[in-house]
Amino acid sequence: MSQTLMSQKQMKLAITAQENPEYRFTNLYSLMHWDYWINCAAQAVLARPGSSTAGIDGTTRDRFKANYQEEIKKLVESLKDKTYEPQPVRRRYIPKSPGKMRPLGIPVLRDRIVQEALRAILDPVYETDFRPCSYGFRKGRRTMDAIAVIMSLTSPHQRYYYVIEGDIKSYFDTVHHRKLLSIIKRRIADKDIIDLIWKFLKAGVMEDGLFARTETGVPQGGVITLPTMLQTIPVRS
């Protein structure tokens, strides 16, 4: 039932965004402390294999599930009274070719749930702003979809002869927080949602027991950093 209610609300957000390209959304934060919404987010997060990895608080999926009702209640209450504060992410490194290491940020489970709840609000809004040819970090899209389009464009009768590949060096590490928020505000006018995103951006990282501030960039590895935070730069047709 809760998933159906969430889908209905997301559909309304998407329709409003599509019919009103300049509309700025308000009164979204109430969803963040709606029991149904948080429970849907929790179920989605806990079903992922990555939820078995703990953040800096050491809380595992099994421990969270053992106290599920109490954990969700505390989370909803803290969001409702706006005392919720994200914890720093745990910094890990994974191999990246050629011979380099990619930094990952592992949030605590409760933060992943809040991020998922936030993603579920933002996705319907921003998905309507993207061109059909945009494939990066979008739900239901993958690399092979983009390759299929390129294959059709490079067929003999289309007469496209070049493919240009580009990359922004250390993009995730250098995202400017205030510029990012200024772009988000083009669509989101709910101050409490903006404040919550700001808290996540400034939560910091923990590495080898030492805390480091996050003045720029978004940590790779969380729920919203890849699929949502980077999608908040809309390109309309």
Side-chain angles (χ1 to χ4, degrees), residues 30 32 39 42 78 98-99 108 113 118 128 139 149 158 174 177 187 198 205 212 233-234:
S30 59
M32 293 299 303
N39 271 290
S78 66
V108 300
I113 292 170
L118 183 57
T128 63
K139 188 175 181 179
V149 173
Q158 289 284 3
T174 57
H177 291 171
R187 271 301 210 174
W198 183 257
V205 299
I233 306 178

Side-chain angles (χ1 to χ4, degrees), residues 18-132:
Q18 187 173 26
E19 293 179 348
N20 304 276
E22 305 302 323
Y23 183 77
R24 299 179 69 224
F25 288 81
T26 59
N27 302 320
L28 295 174
Y29 189 78
S30 59
L31 294 174
M32 293 299 303
H33 51 83
W34 182 22
D35 290 358
Y36 285 141
W37 202 268
I38 293 298
N39 271 290
C40 282
Q43 291 164 17
V45 168
L46 295 174
R48 295 169 185 155
S51 64
S52 60
T53 303
I56 64 169
D57 65 351
T59 300
T60 62
R61 177 172 53 195
D62 290 342
R63 185 189 300 179
F64 190 94
K65 284 184 173 181
N67 300 285
Y68 182 83
Q69 295 300 332
E70 181 182 351
E71 292 284 356
I72 294 298
K73 182 180 178 181
K74 288 191 298 184
L75 198 51
V76 169
E77 289 176 350
S78 66
L79 287 165
K80 188 172 184 177
D81 61 25
K82 300 173 187 176
T83 58
Y84 169 80
E85 293 289 340
Q87 296 187 56
V89 298
R90 181 161 67 94
R91 175 63 56 81
R92 292 281 299 275
Y93 292 89
I94 60 172
K96 174 187 176 183
S97 61
K100 298 180 179 179
M101 301 296 287
R102 181 191 301 276
L104 291 182
I106 304 174
V108 300
L109 269 176
R110 63 194 299 272
D111 289 346
R112 276 177 258 180
I113 292 170
V114 175
Q115 288 184 12
E116 174 63 22
L118 183 57
R119 182 207 61 77
I121 293 173
L122 298 179
D123 261 7
V125 175
Y126 288 106
E127 271 293 315
T128 63
D129 287 341
F130 282 83
R131 292 179 177 177

